[in-house]
Amino acid sequence: MNNSYAGPSSASADASATRRNSKRPKYSKFTQQELPACKPILTPQWVISVFTLIGLIFVPIGVASLFASNNVVEIVDRYDTECIPKNMTDNKIAYIQNQAINKTCIRKVRVPKDMDQPIYVYYQLDNFYQNHRRYVKSRNDAQLRDEKKANETSGCDPEKTAANGSPIVPCGLIAWSLFNDTYTFTRGNQSLTVNKTNISWKSDRDHKFGSNVFPKNFQNGTLVGGGSLDLNKSLSEQEDLIVWMRTAALPTFRKLYGKIEVDLKKNDIITVVLKNNYNTYSFSGKKKLVLSTTSWLGGKNDFLGIGYLTVGGLCFFLAAAFTVVYFVKPRKLGDTSYLSWNRTDASTWLCIF
């Protein structure tokens, strides 16, 4: 007689086999998402409090930012249209390309408020797209850093080599188009010295431009793009070039020319003798001279303050709106009667059918 009874050993073996063949992961609080977690309930009181708190933080910051921006004294003088001889206003390109014409121009600016040193001197260009892809790529960073790689001109098209085939240092369109207008300042009989040291980023001077790399064959072609360089100074010392080669992201930009380390008083008349050398007329660009002080926030810029005030004001508005709704038409927290399947009004049934 056959016995069909299976002992406990065979049952446990079947269970072990089942566990081995199962794809279910081993139990843990991590895999089952049972770890302790913060699950805030956004009650009306919480939402109103958060919006109010953000408004209380942002509005004072916005006011302080606008106050700091308004304390910055700024003088902006556009001179590209004023520094053209009257007989050549209809042919500006011929004027700027004619090397025989004296480009000296004298401008006078009045100081609107007291300006405490240091007073930063900028040149501003409009409609100049330094962010153009081909322009930005037209340089060789290895050549700028290392004397041993002076012959490397890859990526510098179309300003790679001179007519005799020798490499240009620094090569590329960015260096070739170096800004070359110059400014000198006087107040009455007093000459105002422009300090041009430390106007570039220290990291650029130390790491991007070599102290043993010197200009070679620069602006020696038939078509001169901009300013020239001192052949006896290393690239790390030529800060006008370093400032220019940090390309701008927008078509309207300012670059630091130097610093005037003398206080200017209200209603002082500053005489500016400038050389209008740089060609912006070919692409309908504009040139402006900017004198500016700074604050703890930097230069004059109202956008940050307006942005903080806008966000803070919006948060106050939302807090007030939620408060009104909360008191006028309150809702019980977790009330299931607002669920669509628990509503019995006619509109709900019409939507269902």
Side-chain angles (χ1 to χ4, degrees), residues 331 336-349 352:
R331 284 179 55 175
T336 58
S337 64
Y338 286 95
L339 298 174
S340 60
W341 54 83
N342 288 335
R343 296 180 184 176
T344 57
D345 54 294
S347 60
T348 304
W349 288 110
I352 295 175

Side-chain angles (χ1 to χ4, degrees), residues 205-223:
R205 296 194 302 271
D206 295 344
H207 304 294
K208 291 189 176 183
F209 294 83
S211 58
N212 58 351
V213 181
F214 293 84
K216 290 189 301 183
N217 303 312
F218 188 70
Q219 302 291 20
N220 287 348
T222 56
L223 185 60

Side-chain angles (χ1 to χ4, degrees), residues 16-30:
S16 300
T18 302
R19 282 197 298 270
R20 284 196 302 269
N21 295 330
S22 175
K23 295 183 179 180
R24 184 174 65 182
K26 184 180 179 180
Y27 172 81
S28 71
K29 290 186 177 182
F30 177 77

Side-chain angles (χ1 to χ4, degrees), residues 300-314:
K300 191 174 186 66
N301 186 359
D302 293 339
F303 176 79
L304 187 63
I306 294 173
Y308 271 104
L309 285 177
T310 301
V311 174
L314 180 62

Side-chain angles (χ1 to χ4, degrees), residues 246-266:
R246 179 165 283 276
T247 52
L250 300 175
T252 296
F253 58 86
R254 293 177 181 179
K255 290 186 180 290
L256 187 59
Y257 181 83
K259 295 175 286 186
I260 297 175
E261 297 174 331
V262 176
D263 293 340
L264 300 180
K265 300 300 179 183
K266 181 179 180 180

Side-chain angles (χ1 to χ4, degrees), residues 54-349:
I54 294 174
L56 289 174
I57 294 173
F58 275 49
V59 169
I61 294 176
V63 172
S65 300
L66 279 180
F67 183 76
S69 178
N70 290 333
N71 282 340
V72 173
V73 184
E74 189 175 270
I75 303 172
V76 181
D77 179 48
R78 180 183 176 185
Y79 62 88
D80 59 293
T81 54
E82 303 296 330
C83 290
I84 298 178
K86 293 183 179 179
N87 61 336
M88 301 199 73
T89 53
D90 295 331
N91 200 352
K92 299 175 183 177
I93 297 178
Y95 155 77
I96 200 68
Q97 291 180 345
N98 191 338
Q99 300 297 324
I101 300 177
N102 185 12
K103 304 298 194 304
T104 302
C105 179
I106 299 176
R107 304 284 295 163
K108 292 183 182 293
V109 294
R110 181 186 296 273
V111 179
K113 297 179 182 178
D114 290 349
M115 301 179 72
D116 297 331
Q117 62 170 310
I119 299 165
Y120 294 90
V121 182
Y122 301 91
Y123 55 88
Q124 177 176 321
L125 297 180
D126 295 359
N127 202 36
F128 191 112
Y129 288 83
Q130 271 199 318
N131 60 350
H132 191 283
R133 181 173 178 269
R134 187 177 181 187
Y135 182 89
V136 171
K137 292 180 65 177
S138 185
R139 61 187 292 168
N140 188 295
D141 290 320
Q143 183 201 61
L144 299 173
R145 285 193 303 265
D146 191 355
E147 180 187 21
K148 298 178 181 178
K149 298 181 180 179
N151 293 331
E152 291 191 15
T153 57
S154 59
C156 288
D157 294 322
E159 292 296 318
K160 296 175 64 174
T161 57
N164 58 4
S166 56
I168 298 173
V169 181
C171 65
L173 285 174
I174 305 177
W176 176 79
S177 60
L178 174 64
F179 185 81
N180 62 339
D181 284 6
T182 60
Y183 314 103
T184 57
F185 302 88
T186 56
R187 177 178 56 181
N189 296 325
Q190 178 189 8
S191 177
L192 301 177
T193 303
V194 179
N195 184 1
K196 297 178 71 68
T197 59
N198 296 328
I199 61 174
S200 60
W201 290 23
K202 187 177 185 300
S203 59
D204 287 354
R205 296 194 302 271
D206 295 344
H207 304 294
K208 291 189 176 183
F209 294 83
S211 58
N212 58 351
V213 181
F214 293 84
K216 290 189 301 183
N217 303 312
F218 188 70
Q219 302 291 20
N220 287 348
T222 56
L223 185 60
V224 177
S228 58
L229 298 174
D230 189 341
L231 300 180
N232 298 317
K233 285 186 176 181
S234 66
L235 296 186
S236 63
E237 298 176 282
Q238 312 216 31
E239 297 199 48
D240 284 330
L241 173 70
I242 298 174
V243 170
W244 178 256
M245 293 198 68
R246 179 165 283 276
T247 52
L250 300 175
T252 296
F253 58 86
R254 293 177 181 179
K255 290 186 180 290
L256 187 59
Y257 181 83
K259 295 175 286 186
I260 297 175
E261 297 174 331
V262 176
D263 293 340
L264 300 180
K265 300 300 179 183
K266 181 179 180 180
N267 294 326
D268 279 351
I269 302 298
I270 308 300
T271 302
V272 185
V273 180
L274 60 90
K275 292 283 188 179
N276 184 28
N277 297 319
Y278 201 69
N279 182 9
T280 57
Y281 307 105
S282 298
F283 53 88
S284 302
K286 301 175 184 177
K287 293 189 290 187
K288 298 175 184 177
L289 171 65
V290 181
L291 303 179
S292 177
T293 60
T294 57
S295 67
W296 59 270
L297 198 58
K300 191 174 186 66
N301 186 359
D302 293 339
F303 176 79
L304 187 63
I306 294 173
Y308 271 104
L309 285 177
T310 301
V311 174
L314 180 62
C315 287
F316 275 133
F317 171 77
L318 292 175
F322 283 135
T323 302
V324 171
V325 171
Y326 178 66
F327 282 107
V328 172
K329 194 177 180 181
R331 284 179 55 175
K332 181 182 177 181
L333 188 65
D335 190 351
T336 58
S337 64
Y338 286 95
L339 298 174
S340 60
W341 54 83
N342 288 335
R343 296 180 184 176
T344 57
D345 54 294
S347 60
T348 304
W349 288 110

